[in-house]
Amino acid sequence: MPRRSRTLILAWLGLCLALNQPLAAGSLTIQVYDTNHNSLTDAVIYLLADRELPAPKTDSRYEVEQKDKTFQPFVTVIPVGASVMFPNRDGIGHHVYSFSPPRKFELPLSEHESTDTITFDQPGLVTVGCNIHDWMAAYIYVVATPYHAKSDANGQAVIEDLPAGIYDLHVTHPGIKGAADQTRRVDAATENRLEFILEVKPEYLWRPEPHDEEEPY
Amino acid sequence: MKPCLLVAFCLAGLWQSAWAQDRLSFRGLVEAQAFYNSADQSWLDGGFSKTRFDESTFPLQLGKVGLHVDYHLTDTLWLRTLSTYYLDDGLDAELIETYFVYRPAPQGPLRWRAKLGAFHLPLSLENTGVAWSSRFGITPSVINSWIGEDLRTIGAEVSLEWPGRFRQSEHSWKLIGAVFGYNDASGTVLNYRGWAAHDRQTGLFSPLREPTLVPGVKREVFPFYENDDRPGYYLSGAWTWQDRFELQLFHYDNLAETGHARGGQIGWRTWFQQVSAEWRLPHGWLLAAQAMRGNTRAVAPVVLSVCDSDFESVYFLINKEFDQHSFSARVEGFAVDDEDQTPSNMGEESGRSLMLSWQYAYSPRWRVGAEWLLLDSEREERRIVTGDGDELIHQLLFNVQYRFQN
Ligand SMILES: [Cu+2]
C-alpha cells in the first residue's frame, strides 16, 4: 500500500475515534484511603452531572439481610426508585426501622421472615436500625444517578460503562468527618483512575460492635 | 406460690395460639452447684452468716432454675415474666418479675421506652445475664445481692435515650425515672440482718429471713409491702463514651412514712445513692465498680423507739475474657452504722470480701466454672447473741450451667 493512502486511512480512523469519543464508554476506578493511608472499605462513590443522565435501572434486587444479629451488607448504594428487601435469616425476631428523612419505615420481622420490599424515592442517606438489638446498624445511600459504586476491602471501587463526559464525582462514607461529601470534577474521557483520601471518624462511632448481652437489665 | 400458678395457667391458655403465631418465646437456665463452705449458719436458716450455704448444707445443690417467658402482644409491646426455683428453702417456684415492656421504634434521635409491672431496678453491673445471673461469676457483690433480694420496682419506669450513634457522636445519654409502690419494707433487712452475698432473688410474695435471736422464734420480713399508700421514686442518669466507658448516677427513695403499721409490719424510710462505672478496655479487659450509700429508718408505733441505720458498700471488679474463658477478681467493703440513740448498736456491722472466679462457656448451652469467696465480717448483734462478733467465711463453689431457649 502506498505510503500516502496508509496515512489517509490512519487519519480517517483517527477522525472516527475522535467523533465517537462522547459515546465511548469506559470504566473508572477509584481508590479510597483513610488519612493513615489504609484502604478504606465501604466508601460510597457516585457521579452526578449538569446534564440529564440516563434513568437508573431500578429493577436490580437489593438485599439487606439480618444474620447473627447484624445487618449484611453494612453499606448499600442504590439508585433513586430502587427497592430493597430486608430478609431475616436469624432464628429470632428483628424490628427494622429508619427515621431518616429520605425514607422512614418500620418492619417488624419474625424469625426467618422476609416481607415486601421498601422503595426509596428520595435521594439521601438512610440509617437503618433494629429496635430489639440497639447495636445493629446499616446504611443505605440513595443516589440520583446510575453511576455509583462502593469500595471493597482493598478500598477500590469501579464504575463500569461510564460514558465520556464531565461529571461531579462524590465520595462519602458512614464515618466521614464533617457532613459534606468530598467532590471533584472529573473528565471521564481522560481520567480512568483516581485516588481519594477521606478523613473518617474512629470506627466505633459508625460501626457499632455486636453485643451478646441478651437482656438489658 | 399461688400468683405464680395463676400466671402459669394464663400462659398455658395463651400458649396454643401464641405458639402458632410465633409470639411466645422463653429462655432460661438450670445450674447445679457443688461447694465447700465454712460458715456457721446461713442467714437463710436464720443465722448470722452472710452466705447462702453453710458448713451443714449438703455440698451439692441445685443452685438455681430460672425461666424468662416473653409474650409479644404486639411488635412493640411485650409481657415478660421471670420465675425462679430454689430447692434450698423448701419453697415453690417464685415469681420474680412480671411486667409489660413498651418499646416503640424510634421516630427520631431520641428514643423512649417504658415498663409497667414488677421488675428489677436498672442498677446492677453484675447481674445482667439470663435470669438475673451474674456475668462475672456465681456470687454477686453484696450491693447486687441486696438489689435482687430486697428491691423491686412495682410500678412504672420510663427511660429516655439519646444514642450517640445516630448523630455520630462519642457521647450517649440516658435518663431513667420510676414511680412505684410496695416498697415500704425495703431496707429493713439491712438493719436486722445486714449485707449478704448470694445469688438468690426474693419472690414477689415471699419473705426474707432475719437472724433468729430467741430460739424457736422465726423472724422474717416481706420486702415488697405497701404500708402508707405513698409511692417512692428513683432517678438515674447515665453517660456512655465511645461505647467503652459508662458512668451512672442513681438516686432512690421509697418515701415510706415511718411510725405507722399495717399487717404486722412497719414502714422503713429507705433512700440511697449509687455511682457505678464500667470501662471496657482492649484485649478483653474490663473494669467495673459500684458504690452505694444510704439510710434506712423506722419508728416503732406507740413506744416511738427509733431505728436508724446508715449503710454503705463499694466493690471493684476486674475481668478478662480470653477465648471462651472469663476470669474475674472482685474486692469489696461494706458497713452498716447504727445511728439511733438506743444503748445497743445491734445493727452495726462491717465487712470485706475477695472473690476470684473462672467461667468457661463450653458451648452456647453449657457453662462450667469455679469461684472462691473469702468474706470477713464483724456484727454487733452476733457478738451479743453468740459471744463472737467476727466471722471469716471461705467458700469454694463449682457450677455447671445449662442454658436453653426456643
Ligand atoms: Cu435485631
Side-chain angles (χ1 to χ4, degrees), chain A residues 22-73:
Chain A
L23 296 171
S27 78
L28 179 63
T29 303
I30 297 110
Q31 176 69 48
V32 191
Y33 297 107
D34 65 16
T35 41
N36 297 322
H37 213 73
N38 295 316
S39 303
L40 185 64
T41 180
D42 284 332
V44 168
I45 293 102
Y46 60 99
L47 280 79
L48 303 175
D50 298 332
R51 63 190 175 284
E52 187 142 340
L53 294 173
K57 274 169 52 185
T58 55
D59 53 351
S60 304
R61 275 176 61 96
Y62 294 98
E63 231 186 59
V64 177
E65 65 169 7
Q66 301 115 65
K67 198 157 193 308
D68 301 326
K69 297 184 202 167
T70 39
F71 286 115
Q72 204 51 253

Side-chain angles (χ1 to χ4, degrees), chain A residues 3 7 11 22 27 51 86 102 106 111 135 151 161 171 186 194-195:
Chain A
R3 195 198 169 112
T7 319
S27 78
R51 63 190 175 284
F86 293 87
E106 246 185 82
E111 51 186 286
W135 67 87
S151 68
D161 300 325
V171 185
V186 176
L194 295 165
E195 266 190 27

Side-chain angles (χ1 to χ4, degrees), chain A residues 95 97 99 106 108 110-111 131-132 134-137 174-176 201 204-206 208 211 214-217, chain B residues 22 27 68 75-76 80 82 97 103-109 111 113 130 165-166 168-170 242-244:
Chain A
H95 188 162
Y97 69 84
F99 58 79
E106 246 185 82
S110 25
E111 51 186 286
N131 192 39
I132 299 171
D134 288 335
W135 67 87
M136 289 174 66
I176 195 165
K201 296 179 180 183
Y204 52 79
L205 283 183
W206 44 271
H211 292 219
E214 293 131 275
E215 206 43 56
Y217 261 116
Chain B
D22 201 16
R27 63 214 165 77
H68 287 279
D75 295 308
T76 52
R80 218 172 233 184
L82 167 62
E97 295 184 297
R103 294 167 67 100
Q107 303 297 317
R111 73 172 163 230
R113 280 154 188 187
V130 182
R165 181 160 71 74
F166 292 138
Q168 293 195 353
S169 163
E170 301 187 1
Q242 291 188 1
D243 206 17
R244 287 156 200 236

